[in-house]
């Protein structure tokens, strides 16, 4: 047998070029047990191709944050599976098809490849913008302070904060703090970025500067899942729009289709409220 007949994918489950960056199959999440159980995600199937931007819409309580948290292993899923870059999150399947929970260090390694930006910025208040962005690469990756500093300065420049690197969070506007949070997530060189209502806590005049940074990031080829009510952003930047209600995806497709000719009455009603 010549070497060229060996299938290239043999023994290489990770990072297949044609695998979606995110793939959720039959995803369920239940909080609590017995009579108190709350079935929050009810069989979500979603694929986000590499380099694509997926915007998730839906009313409050529909499960959007929980979905993102399952993508980042902040929540352990109840049933189904999530693969990121071809690798199953949280579990390894043995030859008999039995699932084994991965070791916490492996789970931490998976999580470190996924950046997350929250509605509230969660910056370290006692650290400058620069120190916030340097923190994880130094602490988690063991990068030298010098290399981390260089990279952090680049990233802060990229989000338009080159002149604010030595400012503390209280000295920054909400929009600036959120841009630091984005730079901080990017400092770990993630394969995937998750945004959970990143502009919802901002004064209206500060929303645009954060969306502009996200738009740049999308243009650079980053795979992004974005929960937002910013319909203009969805229309302009998303490749795919998903509408969730009551723990399930009830409509999805290209932005023009989902936003301009929604077929689901619940989506029509939702859009009438946010537009
Ligand atoms: P959304 O982001 O769309 O507003 P969430 O995912 O935050 O929705 O919440 C969906 C439902 O799950 C809500 O009813 C919420 O109260 C519930 N929920 C979220 N997190 C938890 C938790 N840790 N424990 C129990 N219930 C939760
Ligand atoms: Mg939420």
């Amino acid at each position: 047998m010549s070497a060229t007949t060996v299938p290239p994918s043999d023994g290489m489950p990770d990072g297949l070029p044609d695998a979606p960056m995110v793939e959720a199959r039959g995803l369920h999440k239940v909080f609590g047990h017995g009579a108190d159980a709350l079935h929050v995600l009810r069989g979500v199937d979603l694929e986000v191709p590499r380099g694509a931007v997926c915007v998730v819409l839906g009313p409050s309580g529909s499960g959007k944050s929980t979905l993102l948290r399952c993508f980042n292993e902040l929540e352990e899923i109840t049933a189904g599976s999530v693969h990121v870059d071809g690798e199953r999150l949280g579990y390894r399947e043995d030859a008999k098809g039995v699932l084994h929970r991965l070791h916490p260090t492996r789970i931490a390694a998976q999580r470190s490849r996924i950046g997350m930006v929250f509605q509230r910025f969660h910056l370290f208040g006692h650290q400058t913008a620069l120190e916030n962005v340097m923190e994880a690469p130094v602490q988690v990756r063991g990068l030298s302070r010098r290399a981390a500093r260089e990279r952090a300065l680049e990233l802060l420049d990229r989000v338009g904060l080159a002149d604010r690197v030595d400012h503390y969070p209280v000295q920054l506007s909400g929009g600036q703090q959120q841009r630091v949070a984005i730079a901080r997530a990017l400092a770990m060189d993630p394969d995937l970025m998750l945004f959970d209502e990143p502009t919802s806590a901002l004064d209206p005049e500060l929303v645009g500067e954060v969306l502009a940074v996200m738009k740049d990031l999308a243009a650079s080829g980053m795979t992004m899942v974005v929960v937002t009510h910013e319909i203009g952003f969805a229309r302009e930047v998303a490749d795919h729009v998903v509408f969730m209600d009551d723990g399930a995806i009830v409509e999805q497709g290209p932005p023009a289709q989902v936003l301009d000719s929604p077929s689901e009455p619940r989506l029509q009603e939702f859009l009438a409220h946010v537009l």
Side-chain angles (χ1 to χ4, degrees), residues 70 94 99-100 105 112 128 131 188 240:
C70 289
D94 69 18
L99 291 178
H100 302 272
T105 56
S112 76
T128 63
E131 289 163 349
M188 291 294 278
H240 193 74

Side-chain angles (χ1 to χ4, degrees), residues 27 40 51 65 103 125 127 168-169 179 192 195 206 233 255 274:
L27 175 56
V40 170
S65 294
H103 190 272
Q127 292 185 341
Y168 287 87
R179 286 186 281 149
L192 167 67
F195 293 85
L206 303 177
F233 177 86
V274 295

Side-chain angles (χ1 to χ4, degrees), residues 3 21 35 51 58 106 127 133 136 155 157 160 169 190 215 244 247 256 275:
M21 185 58 85
R106 184 70 206 132
Q127 292 185 341
V133 179
L155 288 167
D157 185 37
K215 195 175 153 185
M244 287 184 72
L275 285 176

Side-chain angles (χ1 to χ4, degrees), residues 13-272:
D14 298 356
L16 299 178
D18 52 351
M21 185 58 85
V22 185
E23 185 173 15
R25 287 279 162 248
L27 175 56
H28 286 258
K29 177 65 189 178
V30 178
F31 287 111
H33 299 280
D36 294 330
L38 191 61
H39 201 157
V40 170
L41 295 178
R42 301 163 173 266
V44 173
D45 294 303
L46 180 65
E47 268 185 32
V48 184
R50 195 175 300 273
V53 176
C54 175
V55 163
V56 180
L57 306 174
S60 178
S62 57
K64 307 180 298 297
S65 294
T66 303
L67 182 67
L68 285 195
R69 292 169 62 83
C70 289
F71 288 171
N72 195 25
E73 303 191 277
L74 289 169
E75 301 291 352
E76 200 174 325
I77 71 178
T78 308
S81 65
V82 179
H83 286 73
V84 172
D85 202 12
E87 183 176 326
R88 186 173 182 139
L89 293 187
Y91 296 90
R92 176 180 64 78
E93 193 171 340
D94 69 18
K96 290 179 182 150
V98 178
L99 291 178
H100 302 272
R101 187 82 179 139
L102 295 176
H103 190 272
T105 56
R106 184 70 206 132
I107 291 177
Q110 290 184 332
R111 285 189 60 193
S112 76
R113 296 167 56 196
I114 302 166
M116 185 139 176
V117 174
F118 300 89
Q119 183 175 343
R120 302 262 163 214
F121 331 115
H122 302 302
L123 297 178
F124 300 116
H126 62 288
Q127 292 185 341
T128 63
L130 180 65
E131 289 163 349
N132 266 279
V133 179
M134 287 172 61
E135 178 78 13
V138 170
Q139 297 302 329
V140 181
R141 285 270 163 84
L143 210 63
S144 73
R145 289 192 65 81
R146 186 189 176 139
R149 185 169 195 282
E150 208 163 295
R151 175 83 175 122
L153 288 171
E154 258 173 49
L155 288 167
L156 285 165
D157 185 37
R158 182 171 171 192
V159 300
L161 293 174
D163 57 347
R164 295 285 188 277
V165 298
D166 292 325
H167 285 55
Y168 287 87
V170 291
Q171 301 171 309
L172 299 170
S173 72
Q176 291 169 337
Q177 289 183 58
Q178 191 60 301
R179 286 186 281 149
V180 174
I182 293 171
R184 183 178 56 176
L186 292 174
M188 291 294 278
D189 291 320
D191 297 322
L192 167 67
M193 286 283 286
L194 308 174
F195 293 85
D196 194 356
E197 301 201 30
T199 60
S200 296
L202 299 177
D203 291 333
E205 73 273 19
L206 303 177
V207 168
E209 65 192 55
V210 172
L211 293 179
V213 164
M214 292 168 61
K215 195 175 153 185
D216 269 3
L217 190 57
S220 79
M222 179 63 74
T223 310
M224 296 164 51
V225 183
V226 183
V227 174
T228 185
H229 298 305
E230 295 290 336
I231 300 299
F233 177 86
R235 200 184 293 281
E236 197 181 345
V237 181
D239 300 290
H240 193 74
V241 176
V242 164
F243 175 68
M244 287 184 72
D245 195 24
D246 203 16
I249 293 175
V250 296
E251 189 159 344
Q252 59 178 314
Q257 178 194 316
V258 171
L259 300 172
D260 298 330
S261 32
S263 49
E264 248 299 314
R266 285 177 285 178
L267 173 55
Q268 292 166 0
E269 193 191 331
F270 176 82
L271 289 171

